[in-house]
């Protein structure tokens, strides 16, 4: 799969919709252990996550990836 900035933008939009749907369905719960001190409330954590994804969507909206010297868009991998 080629990696272009527009694909990342589309993936972010998909992630936003998926997280929003999980929230609307009441399917997000937070870990209840001693390590989760930052986000014990699922509603607050979801709002913060959605805001972050929305900011990333807005930032990538106009981005384009340049091709390599040989004119291709090679996969980036994880």
């Amino acid at each position: 799969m080629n990696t272009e900035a527009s694909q990342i933008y589309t993936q972010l939009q998909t992630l936003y919709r998926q997280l929003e749907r999980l929230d609307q369905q009441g399917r997000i719960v937070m870990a209840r252990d001693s390590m989760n001190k930052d986000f014990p409330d699922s509603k607050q954590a979801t709002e913060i996550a959605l805001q972050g994804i929305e900011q990333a969507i807005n930032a990538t909206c106009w981005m384009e990836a340049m091709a390599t010297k040989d004119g291709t868009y090679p996969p980036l991998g994880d």
Side-chain angles (χ1 to χ4, degrees), residues 65-77:
M66 295 179 62
T68 60
K69 290 179 183 179
D70 63 0
T72 62
Y73 295 88
L76 295 177

Side-chain angles (χ1 to χ4, degrees), residues 19-76:
L19 185 58
E20 190 175 47
R21 234 177 279 132
L22 285 172
D23 181 48
Q24 290 168 349
Q25 295 172 4
R27 295 175 55 199
I28 297 175
V29 295
M30 303 306 290
R32 299 267 184 226
D33 60 24
S34 61
M35 295 185 71
N36 181 14
K37 296 184 187 306
D38 298 325
F39 301 104
D41 177 31
S42 63
K43 285 292 182 193
Q44 178 191 29
T46 302
E47 285 178 27
I48 291 169
L50 287 171
Q51 288 171 2
I53 296 169
E54 185 173 31
Q55 187 174 14
I57 289 169
N58 292 337
T60 58
C61 180
W62 302 106
M63 287 182 181
E64 295 183 24
M66 295 179 62
T68 60
K69 290 179 183 179
D70 63 0
T72 62
Y73 295 88
L76 295 177

Side-chain angles (χ1 to χ4, degrees), residues 6-20:
S6 62
Q7 292 170 316
I8 294 169
Y9 171 74
T10 302
Q11 291 169 350
L12 288 167
Q13 290 177 314
T14 300
L15 287 171
Y16 185 94
R17 287 190 302 271
Q18 290 172 336
L19 185 58
E20 190 175 47

